[in-house]
Amino acid sequence: MRSVADIKSMKWGWLRTDAAAALLLAGLCVIAYLPSFNNGFISDDYVILGRLDSLAHNFLYLFSVPPECFRLTSYISFGLLRFLFGYHPECYYAFSLLLHITNSLLLWKLLARITQSSRIGLLAGVLFATVQGHQEAMMWLAAMNEALLGLCLLAGLLLWEKGRLVWSATAYVIGLFSKESALVYVALLPLLMWRSNGSKRFRRGYALILRISAAFAVLFYWLAANNFMLGAGAYALTWHAVPVFLLSMHRLMFPWMYAAVVIHLVQRRGLEDLKSAGRGLAFAAIALFPYIFLTYQNHVTSRQEYLASMGIAWALAILMQGLQNRNLRRAFLLIFVVANISYIWIKDRQFEQRAAPTNRLIEQLKERAPQDLAIFDFPANPWIAKITARMAPGWQPDMIHVDPPASECVACPALRWDPREERYHLIDRR
């Protein structure tokens, strides 16, 4: 087995220093997600912002609305960002981007140690930084919990690999209050640390992880009766999960994994790299598992693929590094980066459309003196329209009346949302 010093010396191409590699990863992340900075707050972002006041008065408030209590780090992040920057969404997107940069760096360092190859680790970091599959986790602030979860689990795995088991367990606990799907840590640990599975130290540390998981399971069960996800039937243990899993894995692998496997077989490279790539695919499958029981779609949504994308990046990095022709390897990587970043930039238009009803409403509010205002055909939760009032000076949520009856707010100015023109029209209710 190579030493850590050997790993650090195995730089990839012209990237001879860690600083140069880190700057490359950061730069790619910035280029990929720069378009999101003008999206504004979207949909459930306002729900989180609206709940901050309740959370400030009662820190245990979120435990009355599970599973929001298992998104605690998102609320803390939103609260700190609001305290520091107010309601300026570009600052929130900058924080989300910083999370992604950090996760790309941590993935590089973790896989460099796991695979004993800094080249594979760095290549996986580049692929993860730019892959488009999980773009919703970066371009929708309410999905920040996925990046926070990734940060906790990557930090926990890296700390474990370095022998800091208590700190690893601490990162796991924080992860459980970033997203309840952090429970996959129980399966990811033996997958990544298989060489040390039989050691006494591993068994002692893993027993701690199991006790933490059991305590969390008790808490989750205790709150289950009030969990709106379970009560609404959005999450159910049914056979629906099987096709969801298969389709989701296909979406993650298409087309890059398939292309890499074909090239690998054509070059007759043998099965060793394919077996090594299998661990990355297993990582992706484990990360997907908690989400395949969601019933509202036939595949796992983009934001929920964030952690699984790390496994795909790992598997793809191994196959790409195994390509015999250096020019082919570089061409594959260049096409991957350009195609994925281009797709993210195109996809940004959808997030602008999702934010349009609230962004246009804020513009209307800023142009008017604060007063009671009637809003018709608002395409999201009426509470979201009310919370947008806080983004305009002088306005309060109780001034916004969404789809009021004919007898209410008769003298109020009235606006109707036009989804085709993506703007509000002033209407006469008389």
Side-chain angles (χ1 to χ4, degrees):
M1 183 181 296
R2 299 184 182 95
S3 66
V4 174
D6 291 332
I7 296 171
K8 290 183 177 179
S9 68
M10 294 174 62
K11 300 305 171 190
W12 195 61
W14 54 271
L15 298 173
R16 299 296 179 184
T17 66
D18 281 0
L23 286 174
L24 172 67
L25 288 176
L28 288 173
C29 290
V30 171
I31 293 171
Y33 290 104
L34 192 61
S36 65
F37 275 64
N38 67 347
N39 286 353
F41 296 115
I42 302 173
S43 184
D44 288 355
D45 298 344
Y46 291 97
V47 176
I48 296 177
L49 290 168
R51 284 175 171 158
L52 289 180
D53 292 334
S54 299
L55 189 59
H57 289 95
N58 179 12
F59 186 72
L60 298 178
Y61 162 72
L62 293 180
F63 287 87
S64 67
V65 286
E68 294 306 293
C69 52
F70 307 124
R71 317 285 190 272
L72 184 58
T73 57
S74 291
Y75 284 89
I76 293 174
S77 298
F78 266 72
L80 288 173
L81 290 167
R82 190 180 70 168
F83 174 77
L84 293 172
F85 306 110
Y87 294 106
H88 295 284
E90 60 274 10
C91 299
Y92 294 67
Y93 284 105
F95 175 74
S96 184
L97 178 59
L98 182 61
L99 286 176
H100 189 52
I101 292 172
T102 304
N103 287 338
S104 299
L105 293 171
L106 287 175
L107 183 65
W108 160 35
K109 290 300 183 181
L110 175 64
L111 293 183
R113 298 179 71 96
I114 295 297
T115 65
Q116 299 295 300
S117 169
S118 187
R119 292 186 177 188
I120 291 176
L122 179 56
L123 185 52
V126 169
L127 297 172
F128 175 69
T130 56
V131 66
Q132 61 79 25
H134 57 244
Q135 21 78 22
E136 192 177 39
M138 303 306 305
M139 304 178 84
W140 184 20
L141 295 172
M144 184 188 297
N145 50 36
E146 299 293 341
L148 289 166
L149 169 65
L151 174 64
C152 292
L153 296 194
L154 283 174
L157 290 167
L158 191 55
L159 287 165
W160 184 288
E161 205 280 333
K162 291 184 176 182
R164 300 173 183 177
L165 307 189
V166 174
W167 283 109
S168 174
T170 302
Y172 174 48
V173 171
I174 298 173
L176 288 169
F177 288 95
S178 298
K179 196 75 178 288
E180 61 271 42
S181 54
L183 282 169
V184 299
Y185 196 67
V186 174
L188 292 179
L189 265 178
L191 173 69
L192 272 68
M193 311 300 168
W194 62 274
R195 287 190 181 90
S196 60
N197 278 358
S199 70
K200 184 177 180 180
R201 183 178 178 84
F202 180 92
R203 293 197 301 270
R204 185 171 62 250
Y206 196 64
L208 174 60
I209 296 298
L210 291 178
R211 287 195 293 271
I212 292 171
S213 303
F216 179 82
V218 170
L219 175 62
F220 187 88
Y221 179 78
W222 183 51
L223 298 172
N226 296 323
N227 191 316
F228 65 84
M229 290 287 289
L230 299 177
Y235 198 90
L237 302 178
T238 67
W239 287 107
H240 171 74
V242 176
V244 169
F245 172 75
L246 295 175
L247 179 57
S248 300
M249 283 297 294
H250 164 71
R251 286 165 55 88
L252 279 168
M253 294 189 295
F254 182 84
W256 308 103
M257 274 298 300
Y258 295 139
V261 170
V262 169
I263 294 172
H264 183 89
L265 293 176
V266 168
Q267 291 189 339
R268 299 180 180 180
R269 294 286 294 168
L271 299 178
E272 191 61 35
D273 284 345
L274 292 176
K275 290 179 181 178
S276 298
R279 291 179 70 196
L281 294 179
F283 184 108
I286 292 169
L288 276 182
F289 187 78
Y291 301 108
I292 63 177
F293 300 100
L294 291 166
T295 59
Y296 50 76
Q297 276 194 309
N298 65 353
H299 62 273
V300 174
T301 60
S302 169
R303 63 185 179 277
Q304 294 158 345
E305 293 179 348
Y306 189 79
L307 192 62
S309 293
M310 299 178 188
I312 297 298
W314 176 4
L316 188 56
I318 289 174
L319 295 181
M320 288 179 61
Q321 183 61 27
L323 296 179
Q324 292 176 319
N325 189 297
R326 180 185 301 178
N327 292 331
L328 177 60
R329 183 166 61 242
R330 291 176 174 174
F332 193 106
L333 179 60
L334 179 62
I335 294 171
F336 179 96
V337 170
V338 172
N340 279 271
I341 290 180
S342 298
Y343 186 88
I344 292 171
W345 280 56
I346 294 170
K347 193 76 172 180
D348 180 64
R349 172 58 182 156
Q350 292 187 14
F351 292 92
E352 292 176 353
Q353 291 175 323
R354 289 164 60 178
T358 46
N359 285 345
R360 301 292 87 77
L361 178 56
I362 293 169
E363 292 172 2
Q364 289 285 335
L365 298 181
K366 289 180 177 179
E367 293 174 358
R368 301 172 181 274
Q371 60 183 310
D372 285 339
L373 180 68
I375 305 293
F376 291 90
D377 296 339
F378 187 74
N381 187 319
W383 193 45
I384 292 174
K386 290 178 174 292
I387 296 299
T388 57
R390 296 183 177 180
M391 311 295 153
W395 286 85
Q396 296 298 325
D398 58 6
M399 296 178 179
I400 306 298
H401 305 268
V402 181
D403 295 326
S407 59
E408 182 183 323
C409 203
V410 178
C412 301
L415 300 174
R416 186 182 301 278
W417 174 250
D418 185 334
R420 290 186 300 177
E421 297 184 11
E422 296 185 10
R423 61 188 293 262
Y424 288 94
H425 295 284
L426 185 66
I427 61 173
D428 188 351
R429 296 181 65 197
R430 293 174 295 178

